[in-house]
Amino acid sequence: MIANRKDLLGLEDLSADEISGILDTARSMREVLDRPIPKVPSLRGLTAANLFFEPSTRTRLSFELAEKRLSADTVNFQTSGSSVSKGETLRDTACNIQAMGIHLVVVRHQASGAPHYLARVLDAGVINAGDGTHEHPTQGLLDIFTMREHKGRIQGLRVAILGDILHSRVARSNIWGLVKLGASVTIAGPTTMMPADVERFGVEVAPNVDAAIEGADVVNILRIQLERQRAGLYPSLREYSRVHGVTRERLRRAKPDVLVMHPGPMNRGVEIAQDVADGEHSVILEQVTNGVAVRMAVLYLLAAQKGAGDPPTDSGAATGGSTGAATETHTVEATKRHDEPTLSPRR
Amino acid sequence: MTNPLCLRGGRVLDPARGIDRVQDLWIEDGKIAGLGEDAPAALRGNKAVEIIDVKGAVVCPGLIDIHVHLREPGQEEKETIATGTRAAVRGGFTTVACMPNTSPPLDDRPRVEYVVRRARESGACHVLPIGAVTIGQEGNALVEFEDLASAGVIAFTDDGKPVKNAEIMRRALELTKPLGVPIIQHAEDPDLKGNGVVHEGWVSTRTGLKGIPDTAESVMVARDALLAEATGGRVHVAHMSAARTVEILRRAKERGIPMTGETTPHHLVLTDEAVATYDTNTKMNPPLRSARDREALLQGVVDGTIDCLATDHAPHTDIDKDGDFDNAPFGIVGLETALGLYLKALVEPKHLSLSDLILRMTRNPLAVLGREGGTLAAGLPADVTVFDPEQRWTVRAEEFASKAKNMPFEGWELSGTILLTLVGGRIAYRAEVPAGRA
């Protein structure tokens, strides 16, 4: 469990037990989401700020939804990278957040390590919602959660991660989490997009997509960015698609019950063929649903350990106190397990 | 003039002249008067001589740093000639060569004269200005080399940026060759560097920070070696960081190509592992590289491939460095930690003798510039550094004389306490602790 952490910055930092703990909590949250009224009061009185220094639609919506399902107050800050002028702004933003008494900060930033900076200077808990080309831990968690939901385990799974590994924070978080939980990870992609010394992650580097897919339980396909072509990292989308695109034909090399995953948004017909994206193996939309559950779990666990929230239980009736004094009026039941059937909405 | 002085009972180390023995050093009229018995008898009998007891300490030629950013004019919030030279003498340096990437850059005579004048007015040590190679350091039009040299410029560089265009580099070498001064190259292919911020390797892979391959440096050094060979102009490679670069310089020297090189303290004591915490005080250019590169640099210093040791003192304000890694400026300050760090990197592990280290910080940097000096020979200006090689001290940025505090060595315990720095026979710095040990 991430019980004594202030922040979630990356899966590199977490132990296998901590990751499993989050996944278990996410299972309970997933049950909440499947209810007629999918809302619990766990984070009532807490304020979460979503700071998106880089454009994002689905991750921001997913976090915001997760916060609302947990009854947190939410504020959003979104700006395009170019309008933010350099480091002072991050510092000034941090000072403002600190002054506003925000409890949890969700941050997406184009600079790797920016959430680590905020985590150092803020009292609030910081959740990394994607930093540069470093990590995107909640995406990694939701991918692993989705795999576990379908396969019942992670240990021993053969997972292929395909595409632009160099620039992918999704790949890094997947790799850290999967390797820690005992999966066997194979990566493949253009040689220009293979990071230096990548085998030191504990992954196998396949010579091509076909070899990586061979016998895979899961195929996780990364988005290819158009700007990589401009940077000369691949000659054309046509070439990329021919050499690295996952087609129905190529997918035959995988296990018959293979899961096809993609963090979105997809370039249909480029890294993933149309009929693979919409095919019977695809769990891509399920990833989106699970994303909300996983983010609820992370928010809940960080809030609870901060002593700022109460567990999502019926006994949380004590939450009737004033929102301004959350830490005084809310009882923290650190020993309460989230997999107990205590997540009904306070209605 | 300054009072006559005698530094009594120190270990006089003058590596360029093969001197290493306990004796007195006599100073008169701002010049070295002589060592021990060789000093004029009249001076030795003069009661007015101020005697400074330096028993147990090393007395050596003043340290020389040929790679310093003093930031004046234009970036005085980071550093000035006054504060930068005070940092220098606090670190035992008596001469610094200052880089031309000021604002505006030192690319014409009035700007150079401004720096020379400000150094005379406010400097605590000698300042040798380095001129830009191209107007505005933009890599296109050449500066007036002869005019700048006659104004006091002792080398040319576009440091901060490379001279990217091979034709421009060729012509610059041809035009500076008759002046007898080197082109100092900040070797970095801008295309290979891209918008990288750290060494390309496992650490860049893990942190997601954009990598700068070692070839960004060595490709350009290889090109410059060919141009130096073809033109006979001298190239000095600034802040060498990569194993491949050391190898290229070694081969160039074997072929008799007029080429020299320097490295920095941080490249000898740290590797790219230091950037894993996203500490912006570990962001420098060239970046901290792998353990293998560090080993090759150490070897290059030991075997003389790397001629001299500099600092690349690069001051920035706290605000500059406060933020995410990508947006922070490159560079760290180095003048006040250089000797201690070099002792730690080279002498304490017994890669180099103390004498060989001092040679690389005194005579060798001047030789790179084609200049005399860097010794304690009688008649030379009395630029002298006195330090205790054993006495340990703790790095505290708040004690720095530099305006800037940006460096990753806070709290490090180092040896080599500077006790006294004499510039032209004048006491430019004296430690608060008494000279000599109890």
Side-chain angles (χ1 to χ4, degrees):
Chain A
M1 202 60 58
I2 52 175
N4 49 9
R5 288 184 185 272
K6 180 172 93 66
D7 316 292
L8 176 66
L9 301 177
L11 297 193
E12 179 182 2
D13 313 324
L14 300 188
S15 68
D17 282 350
E18 287 177 305
I19 295 170
S20 297
I22 299 170
L23 299 180
D24 292 343
T25 308
R27 179 92 280 289
S28 309
M29 295 301 177
R30 181 63 215 246
E31 283 162 20
V32 170
L33 292 178
D34 291 339
R35 289 173 190 170
I37 303 170
K39 184 157 178 151
V40 288
S42 315
L43 264 59
R44 211 166 77 164
L46 297 191
T47 306
N50 302 310
L51 307 185
F52 281 70
F53 294 87
E54 188 184 72
S56 160
T57 307
R58 68 187 63 208
T59 301
R60 190 177 58 77
L61 283 177
S62 181
F63 266 108
E64 197 174 343
L65 201 54
E67 290 151 8
K68 289 184 165 152
R69 297 283 188 244
L70 292 170
S71 306
D73 295 323
T74 65
V75 290
N76 291 310
F77 171 82
Q78 182 148 17
T79 176
S80 70
S82 56
S83 72
V84 175
S85 65
K86 311 294 177 188
E88 299 93 324
T89 303
L90 189 57
R91 183 172 184 273
D92 290 342
T93 306
C95 293
N96 279 283
I97 294 293
Q98 187 78 359
M100 287 179 198
I102 304 281
H103 301 99
L104 287 165
V105 171
V106 175
V107 62
R108 157 76 57 98
H109 202 286
Q110 57 273 38
S112 300
H116 303 65
Y117 172 81
L118 289 176
R120 272 200 301 276
V121 300
L122 291 178
D123 294 331
V126 174
I127 298 170
N128 180 1
D131 63 324
T133 58
H134 176 229
E135 281 220 46
H136 191 353
T138 58
Q139 179 74 43
L141 288 166
L142 77 88
D143 289 349
I144 296 167
F145 180 76
T146 305
M147 295 175 208
R148 200 178 77 162
E149 289 285 275
H150 281 268
K151 303 293 183 189
R153 68 191 164 97
I154 297 299
Q155 177 77 39
L157 279 190
R158 293 212 41 187
V159 180
I161 301 176
L162 306 177
D164 180 2
I165 310 288
L166 177 60
H167 300 97
S168 178
R169 51 198 178 205
V170 176
R172 282 173 181 73
S173 289
N174 262 271
I175 289 170
W176 283 122
L178 288 166
V179 168
K180 282 170 197 280
L181 295 179
S184 152
V185 179
T186 304
I187 61 174
T191 44
T192 50
M193 300 185 203
M194 273 299 155
D197 298 332
V198 69
E199 62 286 345
R200 287 180 65 177
F201 278 119
V203 299
E204 192 184 321
V205 183
N208 54 51
V209 174
D210 290 328
I213 293 177
E214 192 75 47
D217 294 295
V218 179
V219 173
N220 202 347
I221 304 160
L222 303 171
R223 173 179 168 79
I224 180 67
Q225 307 268 3
L226 288 174
E227 64 252 34
R228 310 299 173 212
Q229 181 186 345
R230 289 195 291 276
L233 296 181
Y234 64 94
S236 69
L237 284 181
R238 178 172 175 272
E239 174 94 342
Y240 188 91
S241 173
R242 272 169 48 83
V243 181
H244 307 287
V246 177
T247 60
R248 192 167 269 277
E249 175 65 28
R250 284 191 163 135
L251 205 55
R252 290 210 183 93
R253 295 168 175 271
K255 295 221 177 103
D257 60 347
V258 65
L259 298 181
V260 171
M261 304 177 70
H262 191 296
M266 291 182 279
N267 297 300
R268 291 170 179 266
V270 185
E271 72 264 9
I272 183 167
Q274 187 86 351
D275 54 359
V276 174
D278 301 327
E280 69 273 24
H281 298 293
S282 169
V283 292
I284 293 168
L285 287 176
E286 205 180 313
Q287 288 174 265
V288 177
T289 312
N290 289 339
V292 179
V294 161
R295 286 167 182 130
M296 288 170 73
V298 169
L299 287 160
Y300 166 73
L301 290 170
L302 289 182
Q305 69 79 24
K306 275 168 67 73
D310 65 322
T313 71
D314 287 329
S315 62
T319 56
S322 80
T323 53
T327 46
E328 270 91 51
T329 58
H330 290 197
T331 316
V332 180
E333 298 172 52
T335 53
K336 179 80 76 179
R337 298 300 300 202
H338 324 291
D339 44 4
E340 290 169 18
T342 52
L343 291 166
S344 59
R346 272 178 77 249
R347 295 280 161 184
Chain B
M1 274 320 286
T2 55
N3 295 328
L5 279 177
C6 174
L7 304 185
R8 174 143 295 166
R11 174 185 170 194
V12 174
L13 206 51
D14 189 1
R17 298 196 299 150
I19 293 169
D20 181 0
R21 61 177 284 205
V22 173
Q23 57 188 333
D24 300 340
L25 173 70
W26 298 84
I27 293 162
E28 191 173 28
D29 294 335
K31 296 195 171 75
I32 307 282
L35 297 176
E37 313 287 293
D38 296 337
L43 182 62
R44 285 190 283 136
N46 184 347
K47 298 281 185 231
V49 173
E50 184 186 345
I51 309 282
I52 301 178
D53 179 5
V54 293
K55 276 193 214 50
V58 168
V59 176
C60 68
L63 306 181
I64 316 274
D65 185 354
I66 62 168
H67 197 136
V68 173
H69 297 270
L70 292 177
R71 306 295 190 209
E72 186 178 350
Q75 295 178 302
E76 289 86 351
E77 75 282 5
K78 295 176 192 275
E79 192 81 287
T80 63
I81 290 170
T83 57
T85 54
R86 267 157 195 80
V89 296
R90 200 169 168 273
F93 292 93
T94 55
T95 298
V96 296
C98 63
M99 286 294 165
N101 63 336
T102 47
S103 183
L106 305 184
D107 59 3
D108 69 9
R109 174 179 276 271
R111 292 171 185 175
V112 171
E113 286 176 345
Y114 175 81
V115 168
V116 170
R117 180 167 61 79
R118 291 294 295 149
R120 198 169 52 232
E121 290 167 356
S122 67
C125 68
H126 307 295
V127 175
L128 303 175
I130 301 174
V133 176
T134 62
I135 303 293
Q137 297 191 302
E138 285 171 357
N140 302 315
L142 295 170
V143 301
E144 295 174 334
F145 293 113
E146 201 282 334
D147 193 31
L148 291 189
S150 65
V153 154
I154 49 85
F156 295 92
T157 185
D158 276 352
D159 187 64
K161 295 178 197 170
V163 178
K164 179 190 177 187
N165 183 315
E167 164 70 2
I168 296 278
M169 186 64 176
R170 175 195 169 181
R171 298 308 179 196
L173 286 168
E174 287 171 345
L175 288 167
T176 52
K177 183 185 173 191
L179 302 174
V181 299
I183 301 285
I184 301 174
Q185 180 69 290
H186 169 116
E188 174 185 69
D189 183 296
D191 300 309
L192 284 172
K193 182 203 173 201
N195 52 4
V197 291
V198 298
H199 174 62
E200 182 178 289
W202 169 236
V203 175
S204 68
T205 294
R206 210 169 76 208
T207 56
L209 292 169
K210 178 116 174 37
I212 303 173
D214 62 343
T215 49
E217 177 177 279
S218 32
V219 157
M220 190 165 283
V221 174
R223 181 203 76 175
D224 287 349
L226 295 173
L227 291 173
E229 182 172 51
T231 61
R234 284 200 291 128
V235 174
H236 176 69
V237 187
H239 43 51
M240 291 169 59
S241 69
R244 283 186 231 273
T245 305
V246 178
E247 187 51 30
I248 291 164
L249 182 57
R250 186 175 288 126
R251 293 206 192 168
K253 287 185 163 186
E254 283 165 10
R255 287 173 66 107
I257 297 174
M259 210 168 179
T260 53
E262 77 191 23
T263 190
T264 74
H266 40 278
H267 287 104
L268 295 184
V269 297
L270 293 174
T271 67
D272 59 346
E273 282 295 334
V275 309
T277 58
Y278 301 98
D279 178 359
T280 56
N281 280 329
T282 62
K283 180 175 175 179
M284 56 261 303
N285 191 17
L288 296 171
R289 297 206 185 269
S290 69
R292 193 181 67 87
D293 291 303
R294 181 176 161 270
E295 286 301 314
L297 290 172
L298 289 169
Q299 183 54 43
V301 171
V302 169
D303 69 20
T305 300
I306 298 174
D307 299 76
C308 70
L309 300 169
T311 64
D312 195 3
H313 178 82
H316 294 291
T317 66
D318 290 347
I319 297 284
D320 293 335
K321 282 283 194 180
D322 188 5
D324 62 85
F325 201 92
D326 282 352
N327 287 306
F330 290 101
I332 64 169
V333 291
L335 285 168
E336 291 169 81
T337 49
L339 179 66
L341 291 172
Y342 280 133
L343 287 167
K344 181 183 176 70
L346 293 162
V347 177
E348 287 167 23
K350 303 203 185 307
H351 297 309
L352 276 189
S353 69
L354 183 58
S355 177
D356 283 339
L357 172 66
I358 298 305
L359 183 68
R360 286 158 176 74
M361 298 181 78
T362 54
R363 175 67 207 127
N364 284 9
L366 288 175
V368 160
L369 299 174
R371 296 174 74 83
E372 301 298 319
T375 80
L376 296 174
L380 288 180
D383 297 337
V384 183
T385 299
V386 180
F387 67 96
D388 185 332
E390 310 293 334
Q391 189 176 320
R392 319 259 323 156
W393 61 286
T394 303
V395 180
R396 299 269 178 241
E398 62 179 20
E399 296 169 3
F400 282 2
S402 171
K403 272 196 182 184
K405 317 294 176 199
N406 54 303
M407 48 97 219
F409 307 115
E410 182 71 19
W412 282 36
E413 197 180 276
L414 300 174
S415 60
T417 300
I418 305 291
L419 302 175
L420 189 65
T421 307
L422 301 182
V423 177
R426 194 187 303 272
I427 295 176
Y429 170 76
R430 191 169 191 169
E432 282 160 23
V433 293
R437 277 171 301 162

